Amino acid sequence: MPEVIFNGPAGRLEGRYQPSKEKSAPIAIILHPHPQFGGTMNNQIVYQLFYMFQKRGFTTLRFNFRGIGRSQGEFDHGAGELSDAASALDWVQSLHPDSKSCWVAGYSFGAWIGMQLLMRRPEIEGFMSIAPQPNIYDFSFLAPCPSSGLIIHGNADKVAPEKDVLGLVDKLKTQKGILITHKTVEGANHFFNGQVDHLLAECEDYLDRRLEGDLVPEPAAKRIR
């Protein structure tokens, strides 16, 4: 798995990158938890998601936001980190011009950044938001949310209480043209201590079903003339 350094808006960014053998393979970008609370691209969940996509033939990238590891710059409360994510996607796309689609997966703070990236990049056709924090971050920009995806969290999460996550899910489920899949990991806290395998199994099941053409909204019925 090659270590890579690429240019970001605030200097160089450090990542781990695995190209697919297929030129037109989809791209997956994995976004890590909060940089000021120990979040890095080597977080266990981020690492496992990276391999999950790689095993399914995606060109896959995870990277450190600015100020983490060998990534230059300093924490920017989300605005700069969103720019970092956009630059990361630009960099992968420059190496894989035949790739037409992309997925984004984010955990905690990374889920918030990932959903913002989703709004700006129409080629992102699927997302995974793991333990998002609508109690802390504003998700009102998802109006409308442009892609179908998975929201998954633990019902013992005190960092992102279940009622707040359910409020976000309910709001997104009212939107037309997308299908939001919601999963709860019973007894899991924000860090999925002792439950990472369960979390990954749910993510794998969702991704496999999407790749088989399942879990997307039915196309609108054509009107009979």
Side-chain angles (χ1 to χ4, degrees):
M1 170 186 28
E3 294 184 25
V4 290
I5 298 284
F6 55 93
N7 289 327
R12 294 190 303 275
L13 293 170
E14 173 192 19
R16 299 291 182 275
Y17 156 72
Q18 192 67 52
S20 172
K21 295 187 175 100
E22 295 291 327
K23 274 187 162 185
S24 60
I27 291 165
I29 288 197
I30 324 300
L31 304 174
H32 70 69
H34 202 294
Q36 293 192 310
F37 298 98
T40 79
M41 67 174 172
N42 294 322
N43 170 276
Q44 185 188 7
I45 290 169
V46 171
Y47 180 88
Q48 297 280 5
L49 290 169
F50 178 94
Y51 276 104
M52 177 187 76
F53 280 102
Q54 186 206 327
K55 282 182 204 161
R56 286 156 178 79
F58 283 70
T59 285
T60 311
L61 175 72
R62 68 186 203 270
F63 71 96
N64 279 328
F65 288 125
R66 56 184 64 198
I68 297 299
R70 292 160 62 203
S71 291
Q72 295 178 320
E74 55 188 47
F75 180 65
D76 193 36
H77 305 281
E81 287 73 20
L82 174 57
S83 296
D84 293 344
S87 291
L89 183 51
D90 287 341
W91 179 77
V92 183
Q93 287 176 329
S94 73
L95 298 176
H96 298 272
D98 295 326
S99 180
K100 298 295 183 276
S101 68
C102 178
W103 279 64
V104 61
Y107 169 32
S108 191
F109 173 85
W112 180 52
I113 301 298
M115 297 304 276
Q116 292 178 78
L117 186 66
L118 177 77
M119 293 297 294
R120 288 160 171 75
R121 304 297 281 258
E123 67 271 28
I124 297 178
E125 65 179 24
F127 71 84
M128 292 185 184
S129 260
I130 295 155
Q133 298 167 273
N135 54 315
I136 295 174
Y137 302 116
D138 181 7
F139 282 82
S140 63
F141 57 83
L142 291 167
C145 177
S147 302
S148 298
L150 171 69
I151 296 177
I152 183 166
H153 64 106
N155 66 353
D157 189 335
K158 293 186 168 60
V159 178
E162 184 173 42
K163 68 178 175 56
D164 296 289
V165 179
L166 292 177
L168 173 63
V169 169
D170 289 346
K171 183 177 151 193
L172 293 181
K173 280 193 168 183
T174 65
Q175 297 184 11
K176 292 183 170 58
I178 60 167
L179 186 65
I180 300 298
T181 300
H182 170 237
K183 294 286 184 179
T184 303
V185 180
E186 291 294 326
N189 63 16
H190 193 65
F191 307 100
F192 296 91
N193 292 344
Q195 299 266 34
V196 172
D197 288 348
H198 184 171
L199 168 69
L200 263 293
E202 292 283 8
C203 291
E204 288 174 348
D205 179 66
Y206 178 77
L207 182 56
D208 289 340
R209 290 179 68 185
R210 279 290 301 271
L211 294 175
E212 289 163 6
D214 195 5
L215 298 177
V216 289
E218 294 287 327
K222 290 182 180 174
R223 288 185 182 175
I224 299 171
R225 290 182 181 275

